[in-house]
Amino acid sequence: MLRSALLVVGGFALAAALVAALAGAPVPLALWLAVIGAMLVGGILFERGRYKPTAPRPPGPGWIATGERFADPESGEEVTVYYQPSSGERRYVGR
């Protein structure tokens, strides 16, 4: 819900920047609206790339369970964190 609301606000800011630029408003105002809108929309659309999906089973050899466990906010399932010392990569495994 918050994500959708921020997308709408960002879209309105981008639309307002376009209207302001076409109406002859001062450039700093149109630019400020465009930057704020682009940051909101871009941040919301690309933030999903940061988070890796949970795996259905533990990874193979060389992975160590860290002891970290948490509830995945989207699914509500318990997730265990695994770590590979050679690369520093972390994987999230659902139960």
Side-chain angles (χ1 to χ4, degrees), residues 5 15 47 65 94:
E47 61 105 9

Side-chain angles (χ1 to χ4, degrees), residues 3 42-53:
R3 184 178 172 175
I44 295 298
L45 294 179
F46 294 113
E47 61 105 9
R48 290 287 179 200
R50 284 187 5 177
Y51 302 106
K52 297 179 182 174

Side-chain angles (χ1 to χ4, degrees), residues 63 83-90:
W63 291 84
Y83 171 74
Q84 186 177 47
S86 62
S87 67
E89 184 180 357
R90 295 165 60 94

Side-chain angles (χ1 to χ4, degrees), residues 13-14 16-18 20-21 25-38:
L14 288 171
L18 180 62
V27 172
L29 173 64
L31 185 61
W32 182 81
L33 285 169
V35 168
I36 295 298

